[in-house]
Amino acid sequence: MGQRERDRLKVLHEVQQGHLLQHQAAGQLGMSERGFRKLLKRFRERGDGGVIHGLRGRALSRRIPAGKARRVVKLVTREYADFGPTLASEYLEREHGLKLSRESVRQLLMRAGSWKVKPRKLKQVHTWRQRRSCRGELLQWDTSIHAWLEERGPAKMYLIAGIDNATNALFARFVESDSAEHHRRVLWEYGERHGRPQAIYTDKAGLFQPTLAPGWKTEASGPKTETQLGRAFRELGMEWIAAHSPQAKGRVERCFGTLQNRLVKALRKAQVSTLAEANQYLEQRFLPEWQNKFTVAAASSVDAHRPLGTLQLASILSFAEPRRVANDFTIAWEGRRWQIPRQQACVGLRGSSIRVEQRLDGAMVACLDGIHCTLHRCEPCPAPQTEKLPRPARRFVPPPGHSRWMLGFTVRRDTNMESPNSAQLRSPSGLPPPG
């Protein structure tokens, strides 16, 4: 008898002795008056055993028959000794017609000692971090690849999104590919609208962190140790934080889960079928609804976004690399030559290394001592059109073994040279004796 039954038994004795009324006892036990009267009737008929449930100690009606249980254990031990419960249950049903659940097979094997319970190990616990206190203090940035338009559009589209850590404010755009160029375009639009966040939180994709040799990781930031986006973050004054796992940037991951559920259905209802229409719907309809429904108030009302000021986004968000100036004041870029304007040519420029930028609009710009000048492509001079003279006809050259230069030529044999007497008159040196 458990503690609950003992408590009920004490109250029943109080009622039996007249110390409590039935409605008072029902209130103490948390029962209805009708239920208490039934319990009191069983108590008066069976005594103290009336408080114990009638099914206690009885065999289950849905239990596995003992003969079937012994057969299952015997089959598994003999034929499927190295099988787990799941695979063993599948083979028992398919090969022997014994339909049992995985858990039933597992319990039978555990009781028979054929399956040992492995203690469950506690995996790494990812604790929740407190939100940043100000809007614009941290921006989580990532890309989601999904069939956003289902069968109405491309089979795969890319959504670049940034979600504010403090308020859940969302900024997103559909793009054609997950490339550094499209990330720079979306970042440009975000910067013009909101400003520069204090820090940006991304994964360790090759867009943000290059694969480096062990020795390079200790060097200062430069072309070897940062990508074009990493350079842009540094020049914008934004701290770049790399997430070591998807759970570390769980806010943007959960955001994509919500978007893949809500945004897909919203695009379907709006009959959106192109990327341009999807961005228009995202900007005009979905994002305002998101801000009203899912954003929260930050702990501080201060906006941590910083204005762009004198920063030139066209220069910072370009593809920039150093190039060496040739003696003719040109630089090489993707197999072509580009000319520095004559007005910017100065002493010492030849052979020096300058920064060359390929802007998002396709323009080529060189940075010379803080001055940006547009480069012009050097068009190769067309080759002179010379009139081709007719070549003389090639003389006939017979194939090997068919030359006719020996025709009419004969060799006469000297019989004296081959006689034995002439051989005896020769000197040891091979020359004929003097006459």
Side-chain angles (χ1 to χ4, degrees):
M1 184 179 295
Q3 186 62 40
R4 183 183 179 187
E5 285 80 8
R6 292 190 181 94
D7 295 341
R8 287 187 172 187
L9 189 61
K10 177 181 178 301
V11 175
L12 289 172
H13 282 293
E14 294 289 340
V15 173
Q16 190 72 12
Q17 295 173 7
H19 298 163
L20 283 177
L21 299 178
Q22 292 186 7
H23 71 276
Q24 296 174 339
Q28 291 185 11
L29 297 179
M31 303 174 60
S32 63
E33 293 187 25
R34 182 170 179 271
F36 181 78
R37 285 195 295 270
K38 293 173 65 176
L39 178 62
L40 182 61
K41 181 180 179 182
R42 290 198 304 270
F43 170 72
R44 289 170 177 172
E45 293 176 353
R46 307 176 192 173
D48 292 351
V51 298
I52 301 176
H53 199 280
L55 295 178
R56 180 175 296 180
R58 294 176 57 181
L60 298 176
S61 59
R62 300 180 60 184
R63 69 185 184 278
I64 301 174
K68 184 177 181 180
R70 287 193 298 269
R71 185 186 175 193
V72 167
V73 174
K74 184 177 180 181
L75 285 172
V76 173
T77 306
R78 183 181 62 191
E79 300 184 18
Y80 313 114
D82 58 343
F83 283 35
T86 302
L87 190 58
S89 62
E90 296 175 2
Y91 272 78
L92 288 172
E93 181 179 0
R94 185 172 60 192
E95 303 293 339
H96 308 280
L98 298 173
K99 187 174 182 180
L100 292 172
S101 65
R102 178 197 64 85
E103 185 61 24
S104 298
V105 175
R106 178 174 172 270
Q107 293 294 336
L108 291 176
L109 295 179
M110 286 170 55
R111 286 197 292 266
S114 301
W115 179 261
K116 295 183 179 180
V117 181
K118 298 179 181 179
R120 299 181 64 183
K121 297 181 180 179
L122 180 63
K123 297 182 179 180
Q124 183 180 2
V125 178
H126 299 278
T127 58
W128 283 64
R129 290 192 301 267
Q130 188 175 2
R131 291 177 181 266
R132 296 295 180 97
S133 58
C134 300
R135 179 175 179 268
E137 195 172 348
L138 179 65
L139 183 69
Q140 294 193 17
W141 191 274
D142 203 1
T143 306
S144 176
I145 308 172
H146 190 66
W148 296 99
L149 299 182
E150 300 173 313
E151 70 282 351
R152 303 183 308 277
K156 183 169 61 175
M157 285 177 58
Y158 301 84
L159 180 67
I160 300 177
I163 186 170
D164 186 75
N165 183 263
T167 62
N168 279 355
L170 180 64
F171 183 86
R173 287 294 181 269
F174 287 106
V175 295
E176 297 177 354
S177 62
D178 188 21
S179 63
E181 177 184 351
H182 287 98
H183 277 267
R184 296 199 304 269
R185 292 183 183 275
V186 178
L187 186 60
W188 187 336
E189 191 172 352
Y190 181 90
E192 287 184 336
R193 179 170 301 185
H194 302 289
R196 297 174 294 144
Q198 298 283 344
I200 189 166
Y201 201 38
T202 71
D203 54 19
K204 295 184 179 181
L207 296 171
F208 309 103
Q209 175 179 330
T211 303
L212 303 174
W216 287 0
K217 296 184 179 180
T218 59
E219 295 184 4
S221 299
K224 293 182 180 179
T225 59
E226 63 182 6
T227 62
Q228 292 293 326
L229 281 171
R231 174 195 55 78
F233 296 154
R234 174 172 54 82
E235 294 179 359
L236 286 171
M238 297 161 47
E239 180 187 3
W240 173 66
I241 306 174
H244 298 290
S245 66
Q247 292 81 3
K249 53 184 181 66
R251 195 174 308 282
V252 70
E253 297 290 348
R254 293 190 298 272
C255 168
F256 283 140
T258 304
L259 292 176
Q260 291 175 7
N261 178 34
R262 290 175 171 266
L263 182 55
V264 170
K265 295 178 176 63
L267 294 173
R268 183 197 309 155
K269 289 292 185 181
Q271 293 297 315
V272 175
S273 59
T274 63
L275 187 143
E277 294 176 355
N279 276 325
Q280 183 180 1
Y281 180 85
L282 189 68
E283 176 67 20
Q284 297 179 0
R285 293 284 303 277
F286 189 83
L287 288 182
E289 294 177 1
W290 175 281
Q291 316 302 357
N292 294 332
K293 187 174 183 63
F294 294 105
T295 56
V296 297
S300 173
S301 59
V302 177
D303 190 353
H305 284 104
R306 296 159 297 170
L308 297 177
T310 59
L311 295 176
Q312 300 183 19
L313 290 181
S315 174
I316 296 174
L317 298 178
S318 62
F319 187 91
E321 283 189 351
R323 286 292 188 271
R324 187 168 297 278
V325 181
N327 290 334
D328 56 353
F329 297 101
T330 62
I331 58 99
W333 187 276
E334 296 183 352
R336 303 181 185 276
R337 308 297 300 184
W338 295 81
Q339 181 71 57
I340 298 175
R342 184 180 182 87
Q343 297 79 5
Q344 303 299 331
C346 60
V347 178
L349 186 58
R350 291 189 180 99
S352 62
S353 180
I354 63 173
R355 168 170 166 156
V356 179
E357 304 170 352
Q358 186 178 29
R359 303 287 177 89
L360 290 175
D361 58 358
M364 294 294 298
V365 178
C367 182
L368 305 173
D369 295 332
I371 300 175
H372 293 83
C373 59
T374 304
L375 302 178
H376 303 283
R377 180 179 169 184
C378 300
E379 299 294 342
C381 298
Q385 299 292 335
T386 57
E387 203 176 310
K388 293 184 179 180
L389 300 176
R391 299 180 60 181
R394 184 180 179 185
R395 66 184 182 85
F396 173 74
V397 179
H402 295 78
S403 179
R404 302 178 62 185
W405 71 278
M406 296 262 319
L407 291 180
F409 182 79
T410 59
V411 179
R412 296 180 182 180
R413 294 183 178 181
D414 191 353
T415 57
N416 295 329
M417 297 298 292
E418 298 180 358
S419 63
N421 297 329
S422 62
Q424 296 176 359
L425 297 176
R426 294 181 178 179
S427 64
S429 64
L431 299 175

